[in-house]
Amino acid sequence: MQEHIIASLAEDRESTCWGCGLRLLLPSGASTFKCGWCGAITLQTVQKQKDKSLKWRWLRDRGFVCVLLVFILFVICGGVWAVYPVVFSVSQFCGIFHSTVTMVLAVATLSSFSLAAFRSPGTPPNVIWGSYPLVEKGDLENYTFCNYCSKPKSRRTHHCRSCGMCVLDMDHHCPFIGNCVGAGNHKHFIMFLISAIVSTIYVSIMAVYSLWHIWPPLSVHELGRLNGSGSKFGWSLSKEIIHAVLRSTTLLSIRGFILIYLFISSFSLQIGLAVLLCQQLWYIYEGKTYLSHISSQGDDGEKDCQNLLRFFGCPLVSFSRHLPIFRSSKKRHEK
């Protein structure tokens, strides 16, 4: 019996908790352990790492930001130039109304984009670590150590290798804004999606409206020669109309081709942005972020309308009487 105890102790090894500095006796082969005093989690197999491709990812993101800014400015300036004479030819009131709406949407889109792109995504709070007298019991509960930043990070914090920093409540890294989406700019990112969708819808409507007024008249040459009945006649009529539209495009001015491009690009863009916005709002409703969803770390969140109200900073008491389900939630999107 005594020999068995001695053999068991010999297999154990000593290790130091990074959180409080206490020395712990661990079973041999244990790659992960949690300190019983401060609650910090140590991963023995993870070594200190240095990211060598940070500069290239930074340049890639800045390139995406420049491309997106150029596209936004082209849509604004090109749309104003292409639609301006059409709406003012209808009436002066329509022209002033269009100019006002364009100005409001442009300011809202550019300001929300700038806040999402250039504001800090959320720095985790500084905590005391490394010294037993200063670290109290449970101060670092479920904290892990970031080997890139060389500092503690909570379960709500993730390290972004593109930004080279730890981000609180990180949702994802968006290359089109050149920044992470986290606790500091998540609301601005959602507002950018909303304003961009509204703007693209307005651009699509105004592009179609302007094309309707400046499109050359269709010349259907063989409409009287069409014969047949049923589906054959319908197919022949459709082909003749398509040929007439294609012939009329040769008479379009540069303004007309810009309007066609604005409609196609804005319509396709609003579909993608709408899908992304719905996904983001659903995760907020569930009390999760995208990263917590794919890593199953957001299981403690509850589906609750209060998550949406809290995220946008709306008063909860006045709305709670009119919404069907309100439960206590452990939502991580508290600002």
Side-chain angles (χ1 to χ4, degrees):
M1 181 67 179
Q2 185 177 1
E3 294 178 357
H4 176 71
I5 295 176
I6 294 175
S8 298
L9 291 176
E11 294 176 355
D12 295 339
R13 59 184 174 84
E14 284 190 351
S15 184
T16 303
C17 174
W18 63 264
C20 58
L22 294 178
R23 300 185 67 84
L24 306 174
L25 188 64
L26 303 175
S28 60
S31 59
T32 303
F33 67 89
K34 182 176 181 179
C35 178
W37 174 257
C38 66
I41 299 176
T42 300
L43 306 175
Q44 295 281 46
T45 57
V46 179
Q47 303 295 328
K48 184 176 178 59
Q49 303 179 30
K50 184 178 180 181
D51 196 350
K52 299 180 180 180
S53 59
L54 178 61
K55 180 180 179 180
W56 299 110
R57 285 195 290 265
W58 184 87
L59 292 175
R60 176 204 65 187
D61 290 347
R62 292 303 174 270
F64 276 124
V65 171
C66 292
V67 171
L68 186 58
L69 278 175
V70 170
F71 177 77
I72 293 175
L73 293 176
F74 171 76
V75 171
I76 295 174
C77 299
V80 170
W81 176 80
V83 178
Y84 176 85
V86 176
V87 293
F88 271 91
S89 64
V90 176
S91 68
Q92 187 175 5
F93 172 78
C94 292
I96 296 175
F97 176 79
H98 166 70
S99 301
T100 304
V101 173
T102 302
M103 181 67 68
V104 171
L105 292 178
V107 171
T109 303
L110 289 174
S111 60
S112 57
F113 173 80
S114 300
L115 290 172
F118 303 112
R119 186 170 181 175
S120 173
T123 304
N126 294 323
V127 294
I128 301 175
W129 64 283
S131 177
Y132 164 69
L134 299 178
V135 180
E136 298 182 359
K137 186 175 179 63
D139 279 356
L140 300 176
E141 187 68 27
N142 291 325
Y143 272 70
T144 55
F145 191 77
C146 179
N147 290 278
Y148 294 98
C149 300
S150 298
K151 63 180 182 181
K153 63 176 183 178
S154 64
R155 291 184 62 190
R156 299 171 54 190
T157 304
H158 297 270
H159 181 86
C160 176
R161 297 183 62 184
S162 296
C163 295
M165 60 179 292
C166 286
V167 178
L168 181 64
D169 277 347
M170 179 177 172
D171 186 84
H172 68 285
H173 180 86
C174 180
F176 294 101
I177 64 172
N179 200 3
C180 282
V181 178
N185 64 347
H186 201 170
K187 186 188 299 183
H188 302 299
F189 181 73
I190 297 297
M191 297 308 298
F192 167 65
L193 293 180
I194 295 175
S195 60
I197 291 173
V198 175
S199 300
T200 52
I201 292 175
Y202 183 75
V203 169
S204 301
I205 295 174
M206 294 307 300
V208 172
Y209 177 80
S210 300
L211 283 172
W212 179 265
H213 282 78
I214 69 172
W215 196 276
L218 301 181
S219 57
V220 183
H221 302 298
E222 301 181 358
L223 186 60
R225 301 179 183 179
L226 296 178
N227 50 24
S229 59
S231 59
K232 184 178 180 180
F233 177 80
W235 176 248
S236 301
L237 179 62
S238 301
K239 287 196 302 182
E240 184 61 29
I241 293 176
I242 293 174
H243 290 161
V245 171
L246 293 177
R247 286 193 298 268
S248 64
T249 55
T250 59
L251 303 176
L252 276 176
S253 61
I254 297 178
R255 193 185 308 275
F257 284 106
I258 291 179
L259 288 171
I260 293 175
Y261 173 77
L262 288 176
F263 171 76
I264 296 175
S265 59
S266 61
F267 182 77
S268 57
L269 186 61
Q270 68 188 250
I271 295 176
L273 293 177
V275 172
L276 179 59
L277 177 62
C278 292
Q279 182 192 55
Q280 288 285 305
L281 294 178
W282 179 255
Y283 287 149
I284 296 172
Y285 170 73
E286 286 185 325
K288 302 178 182 179
T289 61
Y290 173 73
L291 286 181
S292 66
H293 172 75
I294 62 178
S295 61
S296 300
Q297 292 183 4
D299 295 336
D300 55 344
E302 297 183 11
K303 297 180 180 180
D304 197 340
C305 294
Q306 282 191 9
N307 293 330
L308 291 169
L309 297 178
R310 188 183 298 112
F311 178 84
F312 289 106
C314 300
L316 301 177
V317 179
S318 58
F319 287 96
S320 59
R321 300 177 182 177
H322 306 284
L323 294 175
I325 301 176
F326 274 86
R327 298 184 293 269
S328 60
S329 174
K330 301 177 182 179
K331 177 67 185 102
R332 59 186 70 230
H333 284 290
E334 295 182 0
K335 307 295 180 192

